[in-house]
Structures are given as structure tokens and as C-alpha cells.
Amino acid sequence: MNMTPKTCRDPATGLGNLLALCALLLVGPMACAQSRADSLLQIIQETPATGTFADTALSRMYIRLAAIQARDGEYDSSFVRTERAIELLTELEKLPHAPVGVGQQLIMAYKQQGRLHLFESRYDQSLKCMQQAHSIAEELKDTLEIGATLLQMAHAFREMNDTAQALGYNRKAISLLSLIPLNRELALGLMSMGGTYTNVDIYDSAAYYLRRALAVYIHLDIPSQIAAAHLNLAQLHNRTGNSDSSDTYLQAATPFADAMGPSGRLRYHGMLARSMITRKQFKTALDELDISADLAQDNPADMAEIEQQRALAFTGLGQMDEAMAALQRGNNAMVADLDLAKVQEVTESRMKYEHEVEVVLAQQKIEDQRRQKQFAFVTIGLVVLLGAILFASYRSVRKNALALRTKNDELTRMQDQLVTSEKKRAAEVVRTRIARDIHDEIGGELTKIKLLGDEVRRNLTDQPKSALVNLASINTAAQQANAALHDIVWATDPGADTVRSLVDHARSLAMRMLEGSEMGTMEFMHQGPDRPIAPEWRRDMLRFMKEAMNNALKYAGPTRIDVSLSTTGSDFDLRIRDHGSGFDPTTAIAGNGLRNLRSRAASMGAAVEIDTTPDHGCSVHSGPPWGPGRGFRGGRRAQNA
């Protein structure tokens, strides 16, 4: 009696399935995506793994199906397929004569799995998968895949707001990919570098890399990416206030509009609408915004931007009721999109770290107790031996040993209590500081947005110009809240406890504070290898710089401000000079600004030097202590601020 299931286990049937698979892979691009996915799934279910060369085709089918499911948003199913592909390929690697191409397929599988983790914000797992793919690519000496995996790791760091790491991996990838003929991965790396520099407001570098990316895409003749590069350059010039150049790049993207994907078309029509509003073509702008809304598919972040633009267009047409309704819809979408998920993620990472510390301390305590018991047993043995020889001194020795043990146990208990108390206090300090920073930095801006929204509602009909001004103020307040949230995440991120991260963030802070002012020279550099620094020190350093710049902007009325920060492996040099009113340090009353500078410098263990005279501006300099008798040189200096 034949007990074999009807499922395809017969060698001939398995061969038939593999032939069907090969045919499917060859004609796949010509078939419907859903039909191709269903066909792949059916063959997978009917084709068993054999542990032979035939499994390479089966694993390729798993990878193809995983890519289709990921594109359709079926991330869990896609993850299962990539796991199965990795299992098959790992077994094939163990064969005495592994089939050709197993390494390349493993790279594809690990990259796909890394992208899935990235979509789900599991950044640590994503980096591990990319590192696996990177290691295999290095073994194969495949320069293209080495560069591609470096780019995906850079993308993960960018999503984690670790700009320094993202830029570092991007540079490595571009250097490698520039050694081979022009390719898509090189263009992608250049585009990513331009986007990262745009996010931190370093516009010259951003424009340089985006133009290089555009040139590569034009050479490779990839219409959709040519359009994307044009849009990125248009957006960059719009942020810098160069509307003519922005319109030029936007028009250059128009011939490639049909090649854009949904997200690209969303950006394109949204930017067209913004340009038309600037040129007071309000009705045409509303048509473009309707197209954008269809493409946005109710995404809160996109809809918030679209509704704000609609409010401006309706206001320009004098349709105040429609403008008010659009503004309300935009506010609702903004509230839906504005969450503190990244702050929560950082807090969870901190709690996980504290838990790991507790586990290590507990293991150390068990080891200490084991050693104490061994020591006690040895001591007792020695006491017994000595008691046999010197019975007269036995009782005294035993008493001393017991007293020593009791004291040691008491000391251990006190030490454990001290460690537990210190950990709780440190955790409370971190949580309190995060809560205070969120309340101080973000709470005020959100309150300002609400108040300005109420003012817009009151003035929209009678005073539309005032309403437009308040709308611009709401946009500015939202940007400041976003910047404050970025500063809070950076201040609590353990990965940012390095000198290079401090220099990069200080540059971003200075450019943000001087936006809209006459900016002087800005020099931020680090020489020598990177090294870790204490989180409290880097936080005090940023607050010192922010306090000094605030004082200059608030009181000096400067025509320009020069800022420089240079660091090495062992010291730093910070200088902030304003060309403003200055003051006489011999008669000036020390206010909160000067006291705060002194306090920040003391917290850093650094010296502060202020050089100022009336009508000749003020210079603030901080660096390592100069030592006794060398605090300040010259006559009219405000000692220690």
C-alpha cells in the first residue's frame, strides 16, 4: 500500500517543480506581481529541500517572494521567507563543494532581512544583518556589495539620528564605489550624503553631493532617480531662500514626472503647489494640492503639510471659511504625527542598559559570596589545625574569625545598599532631566502654537494679513519644537558620547541659533582620533556655548558673530566673538548670563575668559584651566565672567 502523501515528494515531480520555478523566474518581470507571488508560494509549498545544488533555485525563489511581500507591506511573511532562505543557503555552504553563487544569495537575503528590521525600527537587528552581509561581501571581494552594505548601515544610523556615524559610513561607501565604473549604489550614496547634510543645515556640502548624484543618474539614464535628484536640489534651494534656482530645478524635473513613483509624485506636486502660491496662482495651486492629497493616502505628516498649503491658497483667494477648515485639518494631522516615539526608544535603551548593569552586579555578588565561603572554609580549617596544636589560643582565634566575618558581611550589605541607592538616584536624575527638558524646551513651543492658532482663528476673517504672519510663526514654532526634541534625544543618546559627535552637534546648534542673523565665520573641527566623553560634560559644554551666544544676541546688538570650536584628544578651545556694543567689566553688574557662564565653566572644570570694552564688542573664550597665576592676561578682563 502506497503511504506516500500526495504532496510532491517524488523526484520527478520535484524536478518538474524546479523547472517550473526556473521558467517563472525567467518570465517573472512580464507577469502580474500578485500572480507571480501566488505562483511562487505554490511552488515553494510543493518543493521540498534536498540539501543539494537544487536548493539554490529554491532559496532564490524564497528571496524573490520575500521582496514582493515586503513591497506589498507583508513584513512578517517576508521575514519568514528570508529566514528560510538563509537556513537553506547556510546548509549549502557546509557542502564540500558549495554551489557557485551561494555567497551572493546570502548577501541578498541578509540585506532584505536588514531592510525589514529597519522598516520596523529595529535598528540593532538591522545593523547586525547588514554586518553579516558586509562580512560575506568582503570575503568575496565584491566592491559593489561592500559599498551597498555600508550605505544601508549609514541609513540605519541616520534613522537613529546618529549623524556622525551616518556620514562616516557614507564616506567609506562613496570612496569604495568611486573605484569601479559608475553605478546606482554610488549615486545612492551621494544622494544620501546630500540629504544628511541638508538635515543638519550644511547646505554647501549638501548641494555638492546632490549635484554629483544628479550627474551619475544622468550618465546611467535612470529617469525616476534623475527626477528625485532634481527635486532634492529644488527643495534645498527653497530652504536657503533661493526661489529662482528652486523653480529651475523643479521645472527640470517635469519631463521625468511620469517615471516617478507615488512618493516622488507626491513631492513633485506639493513643491509645484508651493511655488504657485508664491507666484499667487492660488487656483492652480489647489489643483496640485488635490493631486498631492490623493497620493498621500491619509499619511498624517504629508496631510499636515498639504492642509497648511491649502489654508494659504484659500486665504489668498479670500475664502476664509475654507482656509480655517484646512488649517484645522492640518492641526489635527500635525497632532497625530507629533509623538515622542524616539524619546521613548532612547529611554527604553537606557533602561535596558541599567538592567544589564544590574545583572552584571548580581553575578559579581554571587562570585564574591562564593569566594567568601571558600575563604571562610579555609579559615575554619586553619583554626581547627591550629587548635590541635595550640588549644590554649583556640577560643580567641575563633572569636576573632567570627567577628571578622560578621564585619565583612555587614560591609558587603552596606556596599550593596549604596550601589542600589546610587543606581536608583542616577535613573531618577536621567528621567527627571528628560521630563524637565521636554517640558521646558517643547512645552513652551506647543503652547505658543496653540495660542497662535487661536489668534489665527480670531483674525482670519477681519485681519488675513495678521493671520498669515501668525501662520508663519506657527511654522517657526513647530520647527523650534522639532529642533528642541532633536537636542533632547542627542543629549540622552549614549552613542553620542564622543568628541566628534559634540563638534557636529555644536556646529548644527550654532547655525540654528544664527539663522536669520548676520553670520560671521564659523569653524568647527576635531583633530586626532575620536574618543568618548562624559555625557554631563558634553551637555554642560553645549549649554555654555548656547548661553554665550544667547547673551550676545540678546544684549549686544551685534552686526556679526564669529564662533569657533576646535578639539583634540585631550583638550578643547571655544571662542565666541560678537561685533556689538560690549560693556565695561569694571562697572558691569553680574547678571544671570555671566553667572550661568561661570557655573557652566565650573561644571566642566574649565576656565572662562571674557575680553570686552564699550562699543568694541565682546569675546568669550573657554578652554582647559591655565593654572595658578595664568588665569587672564591684560588689563580689562572680567575674571571668571
Side-chain angles (χ1 to χ4, degrees), residues 269-283:
H269 290 290
M271 293 173 70
L272 275 180
R274 189 180 296 110
S275 176
M276 291 171 182
I277 290 173
T278 303
R279 297 197 298 269
K280 299 184 178 181
Q281 299 175 5
F282 301 118
K283 290 185 178 180

Side-chain angles (χ1 to χ4, degrees), residues 230-459:
H230 277 119
L231 292 181
N232 286 342
L233 283 162
Q235 188 173 28
L236 173 65
H237 285 291
N238 185 62
R239 290 181 65 170
T240 58
N242 192 342
S243 58
D244 291 339
S245 296
S246 178
D247 288 344
T248 298
Y249 279 110
L250 191 57
Q251 292 303 320
T254 301
F256 306 97
D258 293 338
M260 300 179 190
S263 61
R265 292 197 299 274
L266 173 62
R267 287 183 64 202
Y268 172 69
H269 290 290
M271 293 173 70
L272 275 180
R274 189 180 296 110
S275 176
M276 291 171 182
I277 290 173
T278 303
R279 297 197 298 269
K280 299 184 178 181
Q281 299 175 5
F282 301 118
K283 290 185 178 180
T284 309
L286 287 172
D287 293 338
E288 295 294 335
L289 289 170
D290 289 340
I291 298 173
S292 298
D294 292 338
L295 293 168
Q297 298 182 346
D298 297 328
N299 179 277
D302 294 331
M303 289 307 300
E305 176 68 20
I306 291 170
E307 295 298 345
Q308 288 178 1
Q309 296 299 318
R310 275 177 172 164
L312 291 174
F314 280 127
T315 301
L317 292 171
Q319 300 176 13
M320 299 308 175
D321 291 339
E322 289 83 351
M324 191 64 198
L327 183 61
Q328 185 60 46
R329 292 193 299 270
N331 286 339
N332 294 338
M334 185 184 300
V335 170
D337 184 58
L338 185 62
D339 58 45
L340 302 180
K342 296 215 171 192
V343 173
Q344 182 180 3
E345 181 183 340
V346 171
T347 304
E348 290 174 353
S349 299
R350 181 75 67 178
M351 296 299 290
K352 180 180 178 182
Y353 168 76
E354 292 176 358
H355 174 69
E356 292 173 352
V357 170
E358 290 176 355
V359 171
V360 171
L361 290 175
Q363 293 174 345
Q364 184 64 40
K365 180 180 177 181
I366 294 172
E367 181 65 19
D368 290 341
Q369 290 176 346
R370 185 183 67 81
R371 291 178 180 175
Q372 289 170 8
K373 289 179 180 179
Q374 291 177 348
F375 174 76
F377 291 150
V378 172
T379 302
I380 293 173
L382 289 175
V383 169
V384 172
L385 180 61
L386 289 173
I389 301 173
L390 301 171
F391 181 77
S393 60
Y394 169 74
R395 294 177 63 86
S396 177
V397 172
R398 184 172 180 274
K399 181 178 179 180
N400 291 337
L402 289 175
L404 179 62
R405 181 178 177 182
T406 302
K407 199 70 174 178
N408 190 47
D409 289 343
E410 181 180 356
L411 207 61
T412 301
R413 284 195 301 272
M414 291 177 63
Q415 183 179 8
D416 293 340
Q417 292 174 355
L418 183 61
V419 170
T420 301
S421 176
E422 184 62 23
K423 285 195 302 179
K424 288 182 179 179
R425 188 191 68 80
E428 290 174 358
V429 168
V430 171
R431 289 194 291 269
T432 301
R433 186 176 65 248
I434 292 175
R436 184 178 65 248
D437 289 347
I438 289 175
H439 178 271
D440 293 345
E441 299 292 341
I442 300 179
E445 296 301 331
L446 294 180
T447 301
K448 185 188 296 182
I449 290 174
K450 180 182 180 304
L451 294 175
L452 288 171
D454 293 339
E455 187 69 19
V456 170
R457 185 180 292 106
R458 287 193 296 269
N459 296 336

